Amino acid sequence: MLIYSLRRLLEAIPVLLGVTVLTFLILHLAPGDPAQLIGGPTATAQEIANIRQRLHLDQPLYAQYGTFLWDLVHGDLGQSVQRRESVLSMLAVRLPNTAVLAVTSMLVTLIGIPLGVMAATRPNSLLDLALMNVSLLGVSIPNFWLGILLIIWFSVGLGWFPVAGYHHPFLSLEGLKSLVLPAITLGTGGLALVARLTRSGMLEVLGQDYIRTARAKGLPERGVLFRHALRNTMIPVITVLGLNFGALLGGAVVTESVFAINGVGRLAVDSILARDYAVVQGSVVLIATTFVLVNLLVDLSYALLNPTIRYA
Amino acid sequence: MTRFARLLAVLLVALIGASAGAATFTYAAQADAVGLSPILTNDSVSAVAERHIYENLVKRDPTTNQLVPWLATSWETPDATTWIFHLRQGVKFSDGTPFNAEAVKFTFERIMDPKVGAPRASLLTPIQSIDVVDDATVKITTKAPYGAFLAALAHPNAEIVSPTAVKKYGDLMKNPVGTGPYMLKDWVSGDHITMVRNPGYWGQEPSIDTFVIRVVPDANTQVALLERGDVQLIDTVPPELVSRLQQNKDIQVVIKPGTPVFYLGFNYKKPLWQNKTAREAVASAVNIDVISRLLQPVANKDCSIIGPQVFGYVEGVESNCTPYDPANAKKLWSGLSGARPVTLWVPQIGDYPRVGQMIQGQLSQAGIPTTIKTVEWGAYLSATQKYEQDLYLLGWTNQTADGSELLYPNLDSANIGAANRSAYDNPAADKLIEASRATTDQQQRLDLLNQANTLLLEDVAWVTLYDGVAMIAHRTNVSGIDLLPTGDWSIANATMQ
């Protein structure tokens, strides 16, 4: 398993390299010029030329990419052209905010598992119907709309939660209160998806012979459901959860914007709009690395769920 | 016991006094400031912070909008190209560096230095030399008479910086040091900027202790924060949310006619738009009345290129605008040789997309087949400077509030390839615009700008759609916020209960 993990990590290097090349090319091929955006509509040609020179944007593309790569292997993600700030420090400020949002919304998403089980154990009952319709609603509601509604109802109307922003430290009453609405906004879609996935998986597994055998042996129903049925349903659910978590760690730009959370997603989008190449590159490297690592963990977890899966 | 009670009372009074005085004013901004160096930034949020940290030699009076002395107490112009500024004495930057002629020379030379790459270096391009006469006097010589010089000196990018701080930090993007009423306390990138009173401020001490700029990108969230009283001011209210705020008795919405002008431009590199009849057809088809009504209350109807809030506007100039007449538009377009379907380029930002849709409808109704091409802002700025567009929408905020600084960048042939995004080239207009820049006689400048404006309107150089407004929405417990027609606002004189 250790050798497998190491091999997967080594394989990640060309993947990440490919990601940087692609990002670099896409960014430079896309229309728009950072110097033009810094100068704004009022800038003269001379002003723009001076800004380009100051930011070394007048150098050939391969030289710019070479500098980026050289810095990267030295653990430096470069400097924001727009803000003249180290990309690493910009990410360091935002990553904890995004991670906390990802973890809390993941907790909301996990509620989908017991809901799915409940629905599966009483198929076509009123409860099943209600849960599945609510989850359909959950998948369909756009994030930004849900976020704004929650703010209007619970923050402006009832005054239970702050409107926006995090309250530090997180582990305090105010801190936890500031996490509730963003976590619900971001987690609801995943919750609904996981509930539906768990339900369909459980329904399939509950019809299997080994479940009948377990019941025939006289095992308590709880043991049958959670030890035998749910465990066998979990592989697709864990895969979806893993992908979801990876994406959440890459930032959730809509939720971050609505709740004014200073996260990685917003940074990446703002930087794309400002053509701040170094920051986009840095964010993409971070997001890709997280994704690769989370996927590796998901793959390794398969072996824990299903002992017939072995990694050599 | 009595002594103890007295001590307790004193402590209580001190505590209450401290909490009453510890006013924190929070402004919700849509984006983070790019940096806090006035020399290197050109975005509105940076300008808000910089306006409270730095000061200019001259500034605009918030009530009269006239240029008034500030760090310069007076000036004289012995000849048309020489400006002698007498500087305020006893002023220090927040790092203790004295403000003097050296600081002025240092700041302006830095803005003009091509290696620095200042985004608004062109404001000071007309300067030939800057000489320190003595500590309190600086002499600036311009290459030719420069009519809008004082307006340029009042521009946010011409704020004076501490030379010591620049030498120490390299630039002031993260370490601003100015002579203004506030100074930076902390800045969490992407989250908030906190400024506190500058204890050594030379002027009247501001009543608000702490000024926080909080980054809140979503307009709906900004409104909710203002309604809850978590922030005291917002300045980017979408038109559809204004009435909701106006109905709230705890919130005051201040709307003033503004300097920004929004227009429908022609790309003169395309032969079709070199034909005045084609431009007239388009101008006759556009109903600006409907557009400004749609955008109420954030737009004021105007057809003049130089608007009422900008120096150079003379009442009555509107008679030179092309009147709305769709029948005439139809007639002109159908009789036009080389008429073809047109493409309207629209930036995907602010109110442009819906204005674009309205114009598309109006042009099509007048028999001018129009398709819309919506382009992301960054790509739009580049494409329009390369003249890839056909018809296009754009605006000009005009921070100097001076007509020369509107016409020269946008419509003078010297700026083709830069801010003159229409590639408009009219020698007669050039002559008037350049003459308005080359004299310091303000009455003569007004006449020249009015002539230029009239000529440009007659020629249908572009179709002015509406003027922007200066708007803020703030909690009613704050009063005395200064708001200029440029949209610039300041809390230096504000009080908070």
Side-chain angles (χ1 to χ4, degrees):
Chain A
M1 193 136 147
L2 185 70
I3 294 169
Y4 172 79
S5 306
L6 282 175
R7 205 184 72 215
R8 285 283 301 268
L9 286 176
L10 281 177
E11 279 171 10
I13 295 174
V15 170
L16 291 177
L17 210 61
V19 166
T20 62
V21 174
L22 272 180
T23 322
F24 189 82
L25 284 178
I26 291 171
L27 274 175
H28 283 86
L29 285 174
D33 174 4
Q36 176 79 65
L37 279 154
I38 291 172
T42 55
T44 62
Q46 187 57 48
E47 281 166 349
I48 289 171
N50 291 342
I51 298 171
R52 290 182 65 81
Q53 200 178 3
R54 182 186 94 200
L55 303 176
H56 308 296
L57 292 166
D58 51 347
Q59 290 178 0
L61 275 192
Y62 63 85
Q64 290 185 46
Y65 182 73
T67 314
F68 164 73
L69 212 57
W70 181 252
D71 288 347
L72 183 66
V73 293
H74 288 85
D76 180 5
L77 289 173
Q79 236 202 355
S80 151
V81 293
Q82 195 193 23
R83 297 174 188 277
R84 299 186 162 198
E85 193 180 346
S86 132
V87 175
L88 212 56
S89 75
M90 287 172 88
L91 287 170
V93 170
R94 288 157 177 91
L95 192 60
N97 295 336
T98 293
V100 167
L101 182 62
V103 170
T104 47
S105 62
M106 206 58 196
L107 293 177
V108 173
T109 300
L110 286 176
I111 300 172
I113 296 177
L115 290 183
V117 173
M118 274 163 71
T121 50
R122 297 170 191 80
N124 302 322
S125 66
L126 202 64
L127 178 82
D128 180 27
L129 211 67
L131 282 175
M132 284 311 104
N133 276 312
V134 169
S135 74
L136 185 67
L137 198 71
V139 177
S140 321
I141 289 179
N143 255 352
F144 74 93
W145 188 72
L146 179 63
I148 291 167
L149 274 193
L150 291 176
I151 290 176
I152 293 174
W153 288 340
F154 294 104
S155 303
V156 179
L158 297 168
W160 291 354
F161 302 106
V163 172
Y166 277 161
H167 194 281
H168 294 278
F170 293 119
L171 291 175
S172 62
L173 181 65
E174 286 307 309
L176 290 173
K177 271 165 78 175
S178 70
L179 291 174
V180 173
L181 297 188
I184 293 176
T185 305
L186 191 55
T188 302
L191 181 153
L193 189 70
V194 165
R196 294 182 77 85
L197 210 61
T198 309
R199 177 186 177 271
S200 61
M202 281 292 279
L203 281 179
E204 198 186 318
V205 170
L206 286 173
Q208 299 286 328
D209 288 345
Y210 62 86
I211 297 293
R212 200 173 36 183
T213 310
R215 282 184 175 141
K217 276 201 305 188
L219 284 181
E221 188 61 15
R222 179 176 296 184
V224 174
L225 280 180
F226 290 99
R227 206 178 142 70
H228 295 278
L230 183 62
R231 206 166 155 187
N232 282 302
T233 313
M234 283 315 279
I235 286 192
V237 176
I238 290 279
T239 310
V240 167
L241 283 175
L243 285 173
N244 197 18
F245 192 59
L248 290 178
L249 281 174
V253 65
V254 174
T255 310
E256 286 175 2
S257 294
V258 169
F259 289 97
I261 293 167
N262 190 20
V264 175
R266 228 177 73 200
L267 177 71
V269 172
D270 287 349
S271 311
I272 292 169
L273 294 177
R275 305 293 189 276
D276 201 336
Y277 299 144
V279 186
V280 181
Q281 291 273 34
S283 311
V284 170
V285 168
L286 175 80
I287 292 167
T289 312
T290 326
F291 222 88
V292 167
L293 287 179
V294 171
N295 269 315
L296 176 63
L297 289 177
V298 168
D299 286 353
L300 294 178
S301 75
Y302 291 164
L304 295 175
L305 289 168
N306 186 349
T308 58
I309 299 174
R310 282 284 169 268
Y311 295 111
Chain B
M1 189 65 201
T2 335
R3 194 181 289 171
F4 177 72
R6 211 177 289 160
L7 189 72
L8 202 70
V10 168
L11 268 173
L12 259 173
V13 167
L15 263 175
I16 293 166
S19 62
T24 297
F25 178 96
T26 307
Y27 153 61
Q30 271 199 317
D32 194 12
V34 166
L36 296 179
S37 161
I39 297 174
L40 292 174
T41 55
N42 194 22
D43 62 295
S44 59
V45 184
S46 301
V48 169
E50 287 159 6
R51 196 177 308 133
H52 292 85
I53 296 175
Y54 303 93
E55 293 174 308
N56 297 67
L57 290 187
V58 288
K59 70 167 193 175
R60 285 203 181 266
D61 183 285
T63 30
T64 62
N65 201 29
Q66 295 301 309
L67 291 163
V68 292
W70 202 243
L71 283 181
T73 48
S74 62
W75 51 86
E76 59 220 49
T77 44
D79 59 68
T81 56
T82 309
W83 295 78
I84 295 171
F85 291 94
H86 301 286
L87 306 179
R88 198 173 286 281
Q89 294 286 280
V91 176
K92 280 191 158 66
F93 289 97
S94 60
D95 64 351
T97 308
F99 161 75
N100 53 24
E102 268 308 332
V104 175
K105 180 177 159 74
F106 176 87
T107 302
F108 290 169
E109 285 183 346
R110 202 167 159 77
I111 295 172
M112 290 152 62
D113 183 354
K115 283 202 262 344
V116 172
R120 291 311 318 272
S122 63
L123 284 170
L124 302 184
T125 319
I127 293 180
Q128 171 85 47
S129 63
I130 304 163
D131 300 298
V132 174
V133 178
D134 57 49
D135 238 23
T137 319
V138 64
K139 184 177 110 182
I140 300 178
T141 313
T142 54
K143 292 168 197 160
Y146 182 23
F149 189 44
L150 286 180
L153 291 186
H155 193 279
N157 289 82
E159 288 160 346
I160 309 296
V161 302
S162 158
T164 328
V166 174
K167 281 169 196 153
K168 185 172 166 191
Y169 300 113
D171 64 54
L172 303 179
M173 292 291 269
K174 291 273 158 198
N175 303 286
V177 179
T179 59
Y182 288 89
M183 52 189 223
L184 180 70
K185 185 181 170 216
D186 74 282
W187 182 2
V188 178
S189 160
D191 197 71
H192 70 269
I193 295 173
T194 309
M195 286 168 275
V196 290
R197 276 199 293 232
N198 172 5
Y201 184 52
W202 60 271
Q204 196 196 337
E205 186 184 52
S207 131
I208 293 167
D209 299 71
T210 311
F211 177 24
V212 177
I213 298 181
R214 189 172 158 189
V215 183
V216 182
D218 190 275
N220 288 289
T221 314
Q222 286 197 354
V223 168
L225 283 167
L226 185 70
E227 286 174 330
R228 273 250 310 216
D230 292 344
V231 305
Q232 278 66 48
L233 185 143
I234 60 178
D235 62 1
T236 40
V237 192
E240 62 273 16
L241 292 178
V242 174
S243 62
R244 179 170 136 194
L245 290 178
Q246 280 170 331
Q247 282 158 16
N248 189 324
K249 63 176 174 35
D250 296 323
I251 293 166
Q252 190 181 358
V253 181
V254 187
I255 302 175
K256 278 186 177 180
T259 55
V261 59
F262 295 87
Y263 62 90
L264 169 65
F266 306 100
N267 176 3
Y268 286 84
K269 297 257 180 191
K270 309 252 175 187
L272 175 65
W273 304 121
Q274 291 165 9
N275 184 343
K276 190 179 165 191
T277 314
R279 305 198 296 274
E280 267 176 333
V282 168
S284 312
V286 175
N287 186 349
I288 58 168
D289 212 25
V290 174
I291 295 170
S292 58
R293 249 188 289 147
L294 167 87
L295 294 178
Q296 276 307 311
V298 300
N300 282 333
K301 186 185 159 188
D302 180 28
C303 68
S304 166
I305 294 176
I306 299 180
Q309 299 303 315
V310 178
F311 179 79
Y313 169 83
V314 173
E315 230 176 88
V317 73
E318 289 84 358
S319 61
N320 300 293
C321 298
T322 313
Y324 171 58
D325 185 351
N328 186 39
K330 212 171 231 171
K331 202 177 91 196
L332 289 174
W333 194 260
S334 58
L336 188 73
S337 73
R340 57 166 171 82
V342 301
T343 310
L344 173 62
W345 283 54
V346 179
Q348 182 67 47
I349 193 170
D351 294 319
Y352 290 117
R354 28 190 203 157
V355 173
Q357 282 168 10
M358 293 211 76
I359 293 176
Q360 180 194 27
Q362 293 174 355
L363 292 182
S364 301
Q365 265 179 0
I368 307 174
T370 309
T371 45
I372 283 194
K373 186 176 167 108
T374 310
V375 183
E376 183 268 333
W377 181 237
Y380 192 81
L381 284 182
S382 289
T384 47
Q385 203 168 46
K386 289 183 201 140
Y387 303 107
E388 291 170 17
Q389 75 277 29
D390 194 21
L391 285 174
Y392 69 103
L393 294 184
L394 208 60
W396 187 264
T397 48
N398 205 346
Q399 288 281 341
T400 55
D402 188 288
S404 301
E405 292 308 301
L406 163 71
L407 301 187
Y408 182 68
N410 286 288
L411 293 162
D412 192 286
S413 64
N415 282 305
I416 292 178
N420 183 347
R421 284 179 151 76
S422 335
Y424 182 71
D425 184 355
N426 180 342
D430 284 357
K431 212 172 143 191
L432 289 167
I433 295 168
E434 283 156 28
S436 81
R437 279 166 59 90
T439 170
T440 49
D441 178 337
Q442 298 303 313
Q443 188 51 49
Q444 201 185 345
R445 293 192 61 229
L446 187 66
D447 290 344
L448 286 163
L449 283 171
N450 184 41
Q451 284 177 46
N453 194 16
T454 307
L455 187 148
L456 292 166
L457 288 173
E458 280 170 354
D459 197 34
V460 203
W462 77 32
V463 184
T464 299
L465 301 171
Y466 59 94
D467 286 343
V469 297
M471 175 168 67
I472 53 172
H474 65 83
R475 300 284 301 179
T476 45
N477 64 340
V478 189
S479 56
I481 299 171
D482 292 329
L483 174 66
L484 284 174
T486 52
D488 295 347
W489 54 267
S490 161
I491 61 157
N493 298 318
T495 50
M496 195 168 145
Q497 281 154 11

